[in-house]
Amino acid sequence: MQRVLQADTAGGHAFHKAHEFAGYGLAGATPLAIFSSKGSILQRTADFIFSVAIPVHSHITMNAVVTDYLPKAARGPARVGVLGMSVVTYLGIMKMNLAGPGLTETVKGLWRKPQPAAASK
């Protein structure tokens, strides 16, 4: 558990590789998500890559921020908070992917014009 809480320093080579591969996943999935059609297998694949890559990448990066900017006495509680947010991020993205339109369609929806509400009778 200590290695997960100190993902930037205690994880060694494995966490650095995880951070690197998460970055590759984000770099590859982003154009895939942008150019894929709604509901396609490519879009779903990008959504599931995002569901793992975003929390892993942000968890390791935020632990580096904790190491660089917080005093040693505050690092333990801050790292627990970072882990909690990483888990909540993963669960939230997975919920969007499994029970909703998916992360890609949710983000693309920010740029679409709202549909007019159906007239009620």
Side-chain angles (χ1 to χ4, degrees), residues 27-37 42-43 45-46 49 104 108:
T30 299
L32 191 66
I34 291 170
F35 296 113
S36 60
S37 59
L42 292 176
Q43 189 178 69
T45 301
I49 291 171
T104 301
K108 282 182 175 181

Side-chain angles (χ1 to χ4, degrees), residues 23-111:
Y24 293 151
L26 292 170
T30 299
L32 191 66
I34 291 170
F35 296 113
S36 60
S37 59
K38 184 176 182 175
S40 69
I41 190 72
L42 292 176
Q43 189 178 69
R44 302 291 288 173
T45 301
D47 286 345
F48 284 101
I49 291 171
F50 287 140
S51 70
V52 174
I54 290 172
V56 166
H57 197 273
S58 65
H59 177 75
I60 296 169
T61 302
M62 287 308 297
N63 270 288
V65 170
V66 167
T67 298
D68 289 346
Y69 294 104
L70 291 182
K72 287 189 179 189
R75 289 181 189 168
R79 290 181 192 281
V80 171
V82 168
L83 179 60
M85 287 309 300
S86 298
V87 170
V88 168
T89 301
Y90 171 75
L91 294 174
I93 294 172
M94 284 303 291
K95 181 171 180 160
M96 269 194 291
N97 288 343
L98 296 173
L103 182 61
T104 301
E105 278 304 308
T106 300
V107 173
K108 282 182 175 181
L110 297 172
W111 282 269

